[in-house]
Amino acid sequence: MAATDLLIRNARVVRPGDPSTDSPAAVDIAVAEGVVTAVGPNLAAGGVDRVVDAQGLLAFPGIVDAHQHWGIYQELSADTASESRACAQGGVTTSITYMRTGRYYLNRGGAYRDFVPEVLDRMAGRAFVDHALHLAPMTAEHIAEIPALIEDFGITSFKIFMFYGGHGLHGRATDQADFLMIPPSARYDLAHFEFVMRGIQDARARFGDRISLSLHCETAEIMTAYTEMVERAGTLTGLRAYSASRPAHSEGLAITMAAYLAHETGLANINLLHLSSAKAVEAALTMARAFPHVDFRREVTIGHLLADVDTAHGLGGKVNPPLRDRDDVETLWRHLLDGDIDWVVSDHACCREEQKFGADRGDVFAAKSGFGGAEYLLPGLVGAGRKRGLPLSRIAELTAWNPAQRYGLRTKGAIAAGFDADIALVDPGARWTVRAADSESAQQYTPFEGFEMNARVTDVFLRGQHILNDGKVQGDPQGRYLRRAPV
């Protein structure tokens, strides 16, 4: 066994799924060569290179944020650097970012065999946290590439954006062929989604059952019609108008169609992303009962748990699917407490202020969709969750263990011997006010401006490297690209 090179003393370790750690006693964590070797009281400190006193703070497994968008609005290498620093502030040690061809990201079409190497090259040496990729098969060529993506790049999770074929990213119908940068003869529609599912199912049969498909579930035709109605009526403004233009039943309908296609194609691993409403969760649970042979996983974002159309700070809160009414927020919390949600993510998509807003800063339909929030993921969930009775062990499941298991990150998700020493120390008694100026993100604003937080991430270790010290990012980028195995 390698000699201990880091010893974290007096840490109250939270273990996923272990209710006995909801009131944890202080223990020590021994680390050698980036891996946890022992967790227990009074571990020997002789010959240890570094000793850190956690001073009785909570120690959570480093967050596996399974839904981010590095490089969507900012050049990818720059975005990797700045937004991974924001990740560290929120206790995130692993980011899985969604990528696709088309407008934004690299602003190019073509084969993934050419696209992915450029993505990895731009990220290399710039990330402060470990990272992996989800990819969206946008064309028949991409579907054919799925086996090579698994074998050559260790990419085992894929995505469908269900509304892209008929509705604009930011809320108005646009030329989607130009936006998607697909051949004129190609269609991004339900038939394509079916063929994506069949391609992934073929890959699961060939390579292994850890391969999964994630879906952004909204229905283009419903949203296009309702956007026209909302704009024509002119009675709603701001985030409330945007929510009305993308109604909750649009989510429910898309979930229903996606679930039936999964049943039809025999694809058993389906992840339903960023459920934002009571109707969306109801549809997801109904489909799980209808098709028990499909392993559905359900995701919500910290944004949809903390903010609503009235409390978010301005139009910076525009996102897809939209922030909803307070009743929907409370329903999401109820399902979270009932065990109906599998993980919580940030859906971090940095959009700088000069990019976010249109010429009329009050026109929500002219603003771009998406915002950052990784820096508030763990403190937001710990603070708001504890007030609602969410157990600490459940928070560790929702933010680390469950996404790590689903997405094939076998050395992530727990503070235990043999796991990477990814550790976030949290002060559950801290009280602070969110200010965009305090974030490491390049975004410059936040929809959480002025929100009161009731927990703070003080220190973060990535494979034993101290990347956040007393709330400040330190050192050089240590993040690695994570190749994942399909079994």
Side-chain angles (χ1 to χ4, degrees):
M1 180 180 294
T4 299
D5 52 47
L6 169 65
L7 186 66
I8 302 175
R9 288 209 178 278
N10 301 316
R12 295 192 293 141
V13 173
V14 180
R15 295 185 175 88
D18 183 355
S20 71
T21 63
D22 291 331
S23 299
V27 295
D28 302 337
I29 307 167
V31 178
E33 299 180 354
V35 176
V36 175
T37 57
V39 179
N42 304 313
L43 298 180
V48 175
D49 294 338
R50 293 175 293 151
V51 178
V52 175
D53 186 356
Q55 300 180 328
L57 296 178
L58 296 172
F60 281 89
I63 303 311
V64 177
D65 189 350
H67 193 151
Q68 295 199 4
H69 295 273
W70 290 0
I72 183 172
Y73 295 121
Q74 186 177 212
E75 193 277 322
L76 178 57
S77 58
D79 214 39
T80 297
S82 62
E83 304 319 297
S84 65
R85 293 174 68 92
C87 285
Q89 289 183 297
V92 175
T93 53
T94 301
S95 162
I96 316 182
T97 189
Y98 283 99
M99 279 282 173
R100 58 164 173 79
T101 54
R103 301 296 176 195
Y104 303 113
Y105 302 104
L106 300 189
N107 285 303
R108 55 176 287 187
Y112 275 135
R113 63 179 174 271
D114 302 317
F115 183 92
V116 174
E118 183 175 349
V119 167
L120 298 182
D121 182 64
R122 293 195 189 191
M123 288 180 166
R126 295 180 176 272
F128 282 79
V129 301
D130 287 350
H131 46 285
L133 296 177
H134 310 285
L135 283 182
M138 309 302 293
T139 65
E141 179 182 24
H142 292 164
I143 297 173
E145 288 186 287
I146 288 172
L149 294 171
I150 295 167
E151 290 186 303
D152 297 344
F153 302 108
I155 295 171
T156 60
S157 47
F158 301 88
K159 183 177 182 180
I160 288 171
F161 303 83
M162 289 188 70
F163 72 91
Y164 269 10
H167 196 67
L169 176 61
H170 307 303
R172 291 185 174 117
T174 58
D175 182 351
Q176 290 302 89
D178 176 70
F179 170 68
L180 298 177
M181 300 178 75
I182 59 178
S185 60
R187 298 290 296 259
Y188 194 80
D189 56 13
L190 281 171
H192 178 73
F193 305 160
E194 176 187 333
F195 299 144
V196 169
M197 290 185 178
R198 293 193 185 280
I200 293 172
Q201 179 56 23
D202 288 345
R204 291 181 73 248
R206 176 177 170 184
F207 294 106
D209 59 6
R210 282 187 182 270
I211 301 167
S212 67
L213 176 67
S214 301
L215 294 109
H216 179 138
C217 294
E218 292 183 281
T219 310
E221 294 85 353
I222 297 292
M223 295 191 302
T224 296
Y226 273 75
T227 298
E228 293 173 356
M229 290 167 55
V230 168
E231 290 197 271
R232 184 168 60 249
T235 56
L236 298 175
T237 59
L239 298 180
R240 187 169 290 279
Y242 195 61
S243 181
S245 77
R246 301 173 82 107
H249 71 272
S250 166
E251 284 188 89
L253 179 58
I255 289 166
T256 303
M257 290 188 290
Y260 189 83
L261 282 179
H263 162 70
E264 169 65 21
T265 60
L267 180 55
N269 284 4
I270 296 291
N271 312 308
L272 300 173
L273 303 182
H274 43 43
L275 305 177
S276 74
S277 62
K279 290 181 179 179
V281 180
E282 176 187 29
L285 294 175
T286 299
M287 291 300 99
R289 291 190 294 269
F291 304 117
H293 51 288
V294 179
D295 182 9
F296 291 104
R297 301 298 171 94
R298 295 171 289 271
E299 171 191 285
V300 298
T301 79
I302 193 64
H304 289 103
L305 289 171
L306 295 183
D308 61 47
V309 292
D310 297 315
T311 61
H313 185 75
L315 298 190
K318 180 180 176 180
V319 68
N320 300 333
L323 298 179
R324 301 295 188 185
D325 288 317
R326 177 49 49 174
D327 285 348
D328 279 310
V329 174
E330 296 303 324
T331 298
L332 293 181
W333 275 107
R334 177 172 59 80
H335 283 295
L336 195 70
L337 292 166
D338 288 347
D340 297 330
I341 304 301
D342 294 288
W343 53 77
V344 179
V345 299
S346 69
D347 195 4
H348 188 97
C350 172
C351 186
R352 293 173 64 92
E353 189 162 3
E354 65 268 21
Q355 299 169 298
K356 178 76 174 182
F357 304 102
D360 178 359
R361 289 179 63 93
D363 182 359
V364 71
F365 293 101
K368 288 185 170 61
S369 300
F371 54 77
E375 60 268 59
Y376 312 115
L377 180 46
L378 188 55
L381 192 59
V382 171
R386 288 177 74 237
K387 290 200 300 186
R388 293 170 178 269
L390 186 64
L392 296 178
S393 57
R394 177 72 176 137
I395 294 173
E397 281 186 323
L398 290 165
T399 58
W401 181 258
N402 288 354
Q405 290 295 300
R406 180 61 155 191
Y407 291 117
L409 298 167
R410 295 179 177 179
T411 63
K412 306 293 186 182
I415 302 174
F419 284 79
D420 287 353
D422 296 350
I423 299 161
L425 299 183
V426 175
D427 181 354
R431 302 291 182 270
W432 56 286
T433 303
V434 172
R435 301 295 180 207
D438 298 329
S439 171
E440 291 279 357
S441 171
Q443 186 165 270
Q444 306 161 306
Y445 67 91
T446 175
F448 308 114
E449 185 78 24
F451 280 33
E452 297 299 322
M453 291 285 179
N454 297 296
R456 181 188 289 276
V457 176
T458 66
D459 294 79
V460 174
F461 300 84
L462 174 68
R463 288 177 279 100
Q465 298 298 312
H466 203 168
I467 65 171
L468 186 80
N469 188 347
D470 194 23
K472 303 296 182 183
V473 179
Q474 65 176 16
D476 297 323
Q478 300 291 330
R480 298 174 180 171
Y481 174 68
L482 303 174
R483 294 175 58 91
R484 292 171 289 148
V487 292

